Each structure stands twice: as C-alpha cells, then as structure tokens.
Amino acid sequence: MEEHGRNQPVALKEWAVTVNALAEGKLILVMRKGGISEETRDFQLRDHAFYLLPAYEHQRRELLKEAYRGELDRVLADWRPDAATVKLEAYAEAVDDILITDQETLDKLRGLHIWTDTFAEERLKWKRTKPLHVLLLRVYRLEEALEIPLTSAYMGCKSWVELKEATDRPAMKPVLDDETFAAEIDKIRAALDGSYASVD
C-alpha cells in the first residue's frame, strides 16, 4: 500500500451508524469500492491513519442487521439536515487492506459485521471488475471531539476528504485493548482461512 505524505490529515467518510459501531468496539472492518465522485476509478487507501467522518446521506435501515437498526434510529435522532458542522470523534489505523473478488469469500465474513447479506452483495457487485476492499481498522476515540464546518468539500459520494481543521495525530485512546483487538483480527483471518489477498 502506498503511503502518502502526512502534511494534510484526511478522513474516511462512512455511514454515521458505522462510525458509531467502530467507535464502540462493535465492529473493526469496513467494506469499500469507492464513491461515485472518486478521483480514481477504484478505491485506494489514501493513508494508513485517518479520521472517521460520519456521513448521514444514503444510510438505509433495511441494509443493517436487525440488531443494529435501533442504532440507526439513535444516530438519526441526533442529526439535523441543516447542520452547519459535523463532529469527529473517532480515528483509525488500517492494519490490513484485504481484497475480495467473489461472493463465497465475502460470505465468510457474514457474522463479523453489522450489515445484511444484501448490503455486502451490493458492495461486491458495484464496479464489478474491481475488488472489494475490506479494511481492518484499529479504532481510537478522540480525547476531545473535533467539530468542523460542514463545507461543500466534505459533501458528495466520495471516500476521502482532506481536513484543514484537524491535527495530524490527535490525542486519543484505543477503543479495544491490544489483546481484544488481536483476537478480533484473528477471528476475521480465521474465517477467511487464507482465501484472500492483501494490498502490499
């Protein structure tokens, strides 16, 4: 994986309900194919460390497992469509970028994330010739949440945004301790049973 310079902090946009699950230690992976407005034709890991920017557009209740649909209700209850700012509360480090190209391999992760089979299948089929990136994330909570203006540069269907208001390495604490995180990583790799490739 190519590592870019760290002069400008970046954020990965994810559904707000996903960011909450990551920040609460209920999830350590995300699935990406790239947004409609991507600069490149496929998803690329811009950096190994980044903020998590909650996005409220396009969240669909029916694409979450039943146990997490109430979480979406909680997220939306705190959201104002006319909000002028957005709050950053989580940071992540990508420890692996797994490439998945077939449904059989993707199905092995079924019990290890918050989304329905339909969501996972849709992600895999979008831009069919490109692999699905499954990022394994070590997630941290910021010691002080960062509230930033919600400018047009942060809107739209894109994976990455550059953050002018953020510092490169904020004060933060890991969501999961080392032992628990290692166990979660082992669980995912065991489920995949070597049937995947990682980006170098």
Side-chain angles (χ1 to χ4, degrees):
M1 288 178 282
E2 181 184 356
E3 188 157 4
H4 292 245
R6 301 304 306 281
N7 294 332
Q8 187 71 61
V10 296
L12 179 68
K13 289 187 67 176
E14 268 294 343
W15 282 5
V17 68
T18 301
V19 173
N20 276 17
L22 290 164
E24 293 172 0
K26 299 174 181 176
L27 179 71
I28 67 163
L29 66 84
V30 295
M31 301 178 185
R32 301 307 298 242
K33 266 284 185 83
I36 295 171
S37 303
E38 297 298 345
E39 294 178 1
T40 58
R41 292 187 177 183
D42 58 345
F43 177 82
Q44 294 182 0
L45 189 61
R46 282 278 304 271
D47 210 324
H48 286 77
F50 41 85
Y51 290 83
L52 294 172
L53 175 63
Y56 294 87
E57 314 99 322
H58 311 309
Q59 296 184 108
R60 290 168 57 189
R61 181 184 177 87
E62 70 273 15
L63 295 183
L64 292 167
K65 291 176 181 173
E66 186 70 37
Y68 294 95
R69 292 175 184 176
E71 296 296 312
L72 179 57
D73 295 337
R74 180 163 62 93
V75 163
L76 293 177
D78 295 332
W79 176 58
R80 296 193 341 268
D82 60 346
T85 62
V86 63
K87 189 176 291 186
L88 305 180
E89 300 182 275
Y91 194 86
E93 294 174 348
V95 300
D96 206 349
D97 183 359
I98 294 170
L99 303 180
I100 293 180
T101 57
D102 64 277
Q103 189 64 49
E104 182 180 0
T105 301
L106 182 59
D107 287 345
K108 294 177 180 180
L109 297 175
R110 178 178 287 130
L112 299 170
H113 59 72
I114 68 174
W115 307 286
T116 63
D117 289 347
T118 299
F119 174 92
E121 289 168 12
E122 286 182 357
R123 283 291 169 105
L124 180 63
K125 291 176 181 176
W126 167 250
K127 299 183 179 180
R128 188 180 295 273
T129 62
K130 304 296 183 181
L132 178 68
H133 292 251
V134 175
L135 302 182
L136 305 188
L137 303 180
R138 183 75 191 266
V139 181
Y140 301 81
R141 271 197 174 275
L142 304 187
E143 291 188 4
E144 291 188 18
L146 179 63
E147 193 161 354
I148 62 174
L150 191 55
T151 67
S152 59
Y154 300 157
M155 307 296 284
C157 294
K158 59 183 74 172
S159 297
W160 299 101
V161 296
E162 294 187 352
L163 298 176
K164 298 178 181 179
E165 303 87 357
T167 59
D168 190 37
R169 294 288 297 185
M172 56 191 175
K173 295 180 180 179
V175 171
L176 300 176
D177 61 49
D178 292 348
E179 184 177 356
T180 303
F181 179 70
E184 291 299 311
I185 289 289
D186 288 345
K187 192 184 301 181
I188 290 170
R189 290 178 173 155
L192 292 172
D193 193 28
S195 56
Y196 66 92
S198 294
V199 179
D200 294 330

